[in-house]
């Protein structure tokens, strides 16, 4: 089964409204032909409409950085799956910055992932160990418990369509990326756990990305490991030179 690489750019809280389209236009100009690699850009919510115009006629896709699990109601400040449907295909859920700064729990993340799937949006469910977990040897326990809790409300048919991102907190925005070898090992553990919970088909089909200080200078090293299905890129995705190099590197590795 051929799985094409998935490269996701998480702009985080960058991109004041006119900048979003400018950033995408610059990326479009710089990109060579991308036939196989799937590329997703996740701008802030308010940029999604203009980004939607900018990606028309290209094979760039859009994602949101968050979602709420209810369809509508008195939930001030939240954005529902119905509002995102039609505008984007992917949604990042459970990013460590939301877990840390906004108090998102595993239960909330599970509800968000389930809401996505039930509205035909693909969640990119983030899991990751802290520096303390890493130092104390608890990385695997933390990662797999976040994973099990996050997919808890999904069926095996649903789980095979989602994306998981392994993002060690100690690697995010620090310039200290997790080595490709180690990331591949964790991704294998994640797929193994999915297999135990949902069966072989789910573990074969689910896509698992690595994220954390991915730059053009290290991105190609991850593609040497077939278990790494793609990359979730933060800082380097708002720089069109860097991001296009990462994408073209992935495209070169496609068979
Ligand atoms: P970074 O962020 O690439 O800037 O380390 C990755 C992420 O948080 O998704």
């Amino acid at each position: 089964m051929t799985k094409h690489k998935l490269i996701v750019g998480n702009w985080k809280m960058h991109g004041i409204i006119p900048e979003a389209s400018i950033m995408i236009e610059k990326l479009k100009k710089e990109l060579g032909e991308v036939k196989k690699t799937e590329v997703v850009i996740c701008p802030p919510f308010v940029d999604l409409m203009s980004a939607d115009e900018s990606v028309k006629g290209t094979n760039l896709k859009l994602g949101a950085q968050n979602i709420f699990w209810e369809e509508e109601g008195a939930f001030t400040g939240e954005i529902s799956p119905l509002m995102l449907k039609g505008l984007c295909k992917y949604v990042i859920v459970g990013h460590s910055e939301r877990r840390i700064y906004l108090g998102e729990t595993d239960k909330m993340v599970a509800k968000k992932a389930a809401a996505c799937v039930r509205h035909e949006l693909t969640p990119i469910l983030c899991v990751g160990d802290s520096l303390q977990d890493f130092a104390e040897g608890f990385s695997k326990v933390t990662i797999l418990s976040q994973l099990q809790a996050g997919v808890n409300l999904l069926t095996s048919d649903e789980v095979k369509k989602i994306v998981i991102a392994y993002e060690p907190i100690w690697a995010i925005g620090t310039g200290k990326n997790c080595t490709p070898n180690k990331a591949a090992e964790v991704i294998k553990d994640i797929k193994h756990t999915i297999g135990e919970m949902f069966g072989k088909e789910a573990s074969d089909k689910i896509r698992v990305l690595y994220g954390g200080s991915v730059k053009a200078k290290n991105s190609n090293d991850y593609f040497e490991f077939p278990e790494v299905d793609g990359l979730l890129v933060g800082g380097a995705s708002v720089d069109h030179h860097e991001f296009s190099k990462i994408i073209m590197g992935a495209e070169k590795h496609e068979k």
Side-chain angles (χ1 to χ4, degrees):
M1 183 188 52
T2 318
K3 276 194 213 165
H4 292 305
K5 296 283 180 231
L6 172 61
I7 307 293
V8 183
N10 173 12
W11 285 9
K12 307 193 180 185
M13 205 171 69
H14 297 289
I16 310 290
I17 289 175
E19 286 169 9
S21 333
I22 298 168
M23 279 156 76
I24 294 177
E25 290 308 325
K26 283 184 181 164
L27 178 68
K28 277 169 26 185
K29 275 206 190 111
E30 183 128 351
L31 271 183
E33 202 173 25
V34 182
K35 282 199 163 155
K36 295 186 169 160
T37 304
E38 192 177 355
V39 183
V40 179
I41 298 168
C42 303
F45 281 134
V46 291
D47 291 324
L48 277 171
M49 299 276 273
S50 63
D52 188 40
E53 280 301 311
S54 306
V55 299
K56 278 208 175 103
T58 73
N59 42 19
L60 299 172
K61 294 176 184 157
L62 293 180
Q65 297 176 18
N66 183 33
I67 194 166
F68 193 64
W69 53 83
E70 296 290 347
E71 290 185 354
E72 63 176 347
F75 304 104
T76 303
E78 294 300 322
I79 304 284
S80 93
L82 296 182
M83 295 167 183
L84 291 177
K85 218 172 151 165
L87 203 52
C88 60
K89 195 175 175 324
Y90 286 86
V91 182
I92 298 172
V93 299
H95 191 282
S96 60
E97 285 151 14
R98 297 200 57 84
R99 293 179 191 257
I100 294 167
Y101 301 122
L102 282 306
E104 266 187 27
T105 63
D106 281 338
K107 278 197 176 146
M108 291 158 79
V109 174
K111 286 205 250 181
K112 290 179 178 206
C116 285
V117 173
R118 281 158 208 168
H119 289 88
E120 286 151 29
L121 294 159
T122 304
I124 302 169
L125 169 58
C126 301
V127 296
D129 46 329
S130 66
L131 188 58
Q132 193 178 352
D133 292 324
F134 187 68
E136 294 174 359
F138 287 116
S139 293
K140 192 166 167 181
V141 177
T142 300
I143 296 160
L144 297 184
S145 81
Q146 284 178 359
L147 174 71
Q148 286 163 334
V151 297
N152 189 31
L153 302 175
L154 304 179
T155 65
S156 53
D157 236 22
E158 290 169 338
V159 94
K160 64 186 183 208
K161 297 180 204 143
I162 75 164
V163 176
I164 306 284
Y166 168 51
E167 294 214 305
I169 298 169
W170 46 268
I172 296 178
T174 58
K176 293 185 189 130
N177 60 310
C178 173
T179 63
N181 192 22
K182 174 77 191 146
E185 220 175 85
V186 174
I187 289 175
K188 253 192 226 164
D189 287 339
I190 289 175
K191 290 184 178 175
H192 180 76
T193 304
I194 292 293
E196 280 180 342
M197 292 174 79
F198 298 98
K200 186 167 177 335
E201 198 195 347
S203 76
D204 286 346
K205 289 202 167 153
I206 197 164
R207 288 175 295 172
V208 187
L209 315 181
Y210 166 72
S213 292
V214 171
K215 309 282 174 216
K217 67 173 193 287
N218 60 30
S219 59
N220 287 329
D221 302 340
Y222 293 92
F223 305 136
E224 301 299 332
F225 293 83
E227 40 288 285
V228 182
D229 298 308
L231 300 168
L232 177 50
V233 185
S237 73
V238 289
D239 175 331
H240 59 280
H241 298 300
E242 278 281 309
F243 198 46
S244 65
K245 275 189 206 152
I246 294 170
I247 296 165
M248 295 320 290
E251 183 72 7
K252 260 198 205 148
H253 275 77
E254 297 276 4
K255 302 222 167 61

